[in-house]
Amino acid sequence: MNYSLSIRLCTDGFSFLVSSIGSGQSLLQESLRCGSEETMSDALMRGLQLPRISGRHYERVILYSTLPSTRVPLDEFRREDMLALYRLTFSGTQYRPEDMCFQVLPSLEVVEIFPLQAPIVQALKQQYPSALIQGLYGSMLCHIAEMQQGSVLPVSFHAVVLDGGVLIASLRHGKLYYANVFRATGNPNILYFILYVWKALALDAWHDLCILYSADQELYHDACQYLANVELRELDL
């Protein structure tokens, strides 16, 4: 059996997901918090050395960063400007140039810029030299864009429920028009941001489509009270 290992970097640790590449079936889920006297890179190494994780050969290893990210048009991206561009959105950050990563989102013609401390990258590469490093939100946007290929709708609105927030994006004629992550807990707060962005983008509550991902039935029914066309889908990474 061929396996894949997906690692998500969170604010206080990591989550690990082992899956079968052939079937996509999840075989193991593990969460690991960083100790009070432990660096994030040490915590990652500790997780990778757990027998239930290290005891398999992986065809694919991906680390997804859930840290705040920003996006710039592909034709305006310069690698040497990553930190300066990031600070335009997140002023006062303490990251160094060597901590900045980027991911090209070719179908959307944008580049996502996100931080990842160099020791974390080194710890991952030490164990898995061919591991990929991607921003979680950019990967979600790419997945959404791929699912929208062939759509006849000129405008699409997407809301992905996250752990502690919601990613909201809008595509126009297949191109990224808007994307942002809002920190929110509970369906009422998530719905507030959905409706806030919907109104800010001047979308039509009777005709335009709102697609919810990884939402529960309560949020779906609440959204249907305000928007006429709501679909519920899953977004698997």
Side-chain angles (χ1 to χ4, degrees), residues 177-219:
Y177 182 79
Y178 176 92
N180 198 10
V181 174
F182 297 92
R183 298 301 171 190
T185 56
N187 286 338
N189 293 323
I190 292 174
L191 181 60
Y192 167 82
F193 285 114
I194 291 173
L195 297 177
Y196 171 81
V197 176
W198 184 279
K199 182 177 180 181
L201 297 180
L203 298 178
D204 191 319
W206 292 103
H207 298 99
D208 290 321
L209 174 64
C210 172
I211 305 175
L212 301 179
Y213 302 86
S214 305
D216 57 27
Q217 289 293 326
E218 179 185 9
L219 179 59

Side-chain angles (χ1 to χ4, degrees), residues 1-235:
M1 182 179 293
N2 295 327
Y3 301 103
S4 69
L5 174 61
S6 173
I7 308 166
R8 292 196 184 189
L9 167 65
C10 307
T11 55
D12 60 351
F14 299 87
S15 64
F16 302 84
L17 175 64
V18 177
S19 304
S20 166
I21 291 181
S23 65
Q25 179 184 3
S26 297
L27 304 175
L28 171 69
Q29 288 184 307
E30 182 91 19
S31 294
L32 185 146
R33 299 189 66 171
C34 183
S36 58
E37 299 181 359
E38 186 178 37
T39 66
M40 290 291 281
S41 57
D42 288 339
L44 175 59
M45 186 61 71
R46 176 163 59 90
L48 294 176
Q49 291 175 348
L50 291 172
R52 51 191 174 276
I53 293 177
S54 63
R56 292 182 171 91
H57 173 73
Y58 298 106
E59 296 291 329
R60 181 175 65 232
V61 177
I62 303 178
L63 186 150
Y64 292 107
S65 171
T66 62
L67 297 176
S69 61
T70 188
R71 284 151 293 277
V72 298
L74 180 59
D75 58 0
E76 296 180 14
F77 173 72
R78 301 292 182 273
R79 186 177 300 199
E80 61 271 19
D81 296 334
M82 284 195 295
L83 182 57
L85 290 170
Y86 189 80
R87 284 177 172 168
L88 286 176
T89 307
F90 305 101
S91 60
T93 57
Q94 302 301 313
Y95 296 109
R96 302 166 298 173
E98 57 266 32
D99 295 327
M100 303 309 300
C101 299
F102 71 95
Q103 177 183 355
V104 178
L105 314 181
S107 58
L108 296 171
E109 298 182 4
V110 299
V111 177
E112 182 174 52
I113 301 172
F114 58 95
L116 188 61
Q117 293 178 344
I120 296 177
V121 177
Q122 294 166 4
L124 177 66
K125 295 291 187 176
Q126 178 181 335
Q127 201 79 3
Y128 300 103
S130 60
L132 301 176
I133 296 172
Q134 298 180 356
L136 178 64
Y137 309 126
S139 298
M140 288 180 170
L141 292 173
C142 275
H143 204 59
I144 289 171
E146 290 172 0
M147 291 190 293
Q148 286 299 114
Q149 288 182 356
S151 173
V152 297
L153 296 176
V155 178
S156 61
F157 182 93
H158 310 265
V160 185
V161 178
L162 308 167
D163 183 14
V166 58
L167 167 64
I168 299 178
S170 179
L171 276 62
R172 298 198 174 186
H173 302 288
K175 305 299 181 184
L176 186 64
Y177 182 79
Y178 176 92
N180 198 10
V181 174
F182 297 92
R183 298 301 171 190
T185 56
N187 286 338
N189 293 323
I190 292 174
L191 181 60
Y192 167 82
F193 285 114
I194 291 173
L195 297 177
Y196 171 81
V197 176
W198 184 279
K199 182 177 180 181
L201 297 180
L203 298 178
D204 191 319
W206 292 103
H207 298 99
D208 290 321
L209 174 64
C210 172
I211 305 175
L212 301 179
Y213 302 86
S214 305
D216 57 27
Q217 289 293 326
E218 179 185 9
L219 179 59
Y220 169 75
H221 290 300
D222 289 346
C224 288
Q225 295 181 26
Y226 299 92
L227 307 174
N229 299 298
V230 182
E231 289 186 6
L232 190 59
R233 301 181 187 177
E234 290 299 321
L235 187 65

